[in-house]
Amino acid sequence: MTAVTPPAAGPLRVVVVDDHEMVVAGLKAMLAPFTGRIRVVGSAHAVPDALDLVASLRPDLVLADVRMQGESGLDLCRRLAERMPEARVVLLSVYDDEQYLFQALRAGAAGYLLKRIRGEELVGQLELAATGTTVIDTTMAGRVVESAARLERDEFWPGAHLGLTHRESEVLALLVSGCSNRAIASRLVIGDETVKSHVRSVLRKLQVPDRTAAVAAALREGVFR
């Protein structure tokens, strides 16, 4: 856990929380050109340290990874909501899935942004979050609006009745088509680890042990017609 003396006034004061030192260093480097608008006043690699740091520094915002070893960014949101409800947490993630977004908002997050975001856009979004606006990655926000519209029309994606998210439904469709994880990653423009996470979630929700059984279950349940 590291900290610097916070400025009395001026730039937005931010605490960065991520369990990978390289990610913390990368975020600091990304924000460094914008010191007139934003300043990283501290960083932590675990939720307990982050709680102590936020209590000590009282930053304007906390920028935290969604998934970390031990407690997650979602846990950090919940615990700060109990201890310091005025604290605003913006979550960063590689997961562009509505499921994670909804979990973040339910946990009290002030925003959900993807790690592919560029520096100037990140600064702008954090400035908005500091004013009380809930910030969401623009591509995800569009999908959420589309999902809400389909719900209103009583339409939804294949597999929704089985608890699959829209992204998981897309992954399952590609599994049925015989695509490998690498091919799925390429088609959906997501990382290999993200694909693996979605596949694990699909198997769990379909209550099957492997990909072959998932395909059989999808066909048996008439998920894709």
Side-chain angles (χ1 to χ4, degrees):
M1 180 172 63
T2 60
V4 296
T5 303
L12 197 64
R13 299 167 53 250
V14 175
V15 162
V16 174
V17 185
D18 195 290
D19 57 347
H20 292 97
E21 179 60 44
M22 185 178 295
V23 174
V24 172
L27 286 170
K28 288 180 178 178
M30 179 186 289
L31 297 174
F34 306 96
T35 52
R37 298 165 61 187
I38 196 165
R39 183 182 177 192
V40 177
V41 296
S43 61
H45 303 299
V47 169
D49 290 340
L51 292 170
D52 292 340
L53 195 59
V54 173
S56 171
L57 295 179
R58 299 286 173 171
D60 300 303
L61 283 176
V62 179
L63 183 60
D65 190 9
V66 170
R67 296 189 65 175
M68 296 184 287
Q69 294 294 323
E71 293 181 285
S72 68
L74 298 174
D75 295 318
L76 177 61
C77 285
R78 297 184 188 104
R79 294 182 64 179
L80 282 175
E82 294 173 358
R83 298 187 183 188
M84 289 165 276
E86 73 281 2
R88 295 186 61 77
V89 182
V90 174
L91 294 174
L92 274 179
S93 178
V94 297
Y95 299 102
D96 64 338
D97 193 308
E98 296 96 315
Q99 176 185 8
Y100 291 99
L101 168 60
F102 295 148
Q103 287 178 351
L105 296 179
R106 284 197 296 268
Y112 187 97
L113 303 173
L114 299 182
K115 287 188 174 180
R116 65 191 179 202
I117 194 169
R118 296 181 179 274
E120 187 164 4
E121 183 184 0
L122 176 58
V123 173
Q125 294 283 55
L126 293 179
E127 288 174 334
L128 277 175
T131 67
T133 301
T134 299
V135 294
I136 300 173
D137 174 81
T138 53
T139 58
M140 292 194 70
R143 290 212 307 271
V144 169
V145 171
E146 179 185 356
S147 296
R150 296 186 72 178
L151 276 171
E152 184 69 22
R153 297 193 303 267
D154 198 26
E155 301 174 6
F156 225 60
W157 51 79
H161 66 291
L162 299 175
L164 299 182
T165 66
H166 185 262
R167 178 62 87 190
E168 289 165 354
S169 176
E170 291 176 324
V171 169
L172 180 57
L174 293 172
L175 287 178
V176 171
S177 299
C179 291
S180 65
N181 282 5
R182 179 166 295 182
I184 294 172
S186 176
R187 289 280 296 274
L188 299 181
V189 196
I190 55 179
D192 290 346
E193 290 301 315
T194 302
V195 172
K196 291 178 183 177
S197 177
H198 288 319
V199 170
R200 287 194 296 268
S201 183
V202 168
L203 298 183
R204 185 181 70 253
K205 291 180 179 181
L206 295 183
Q207 299 181 340
V208 295
D210 53 40
R211 297 159 62 101
T212 302
V215 171
L219 297 176
R220 183 176 62 251
E221 294 288 338
V223 174
F224 302 104
R225 302 182 185 279

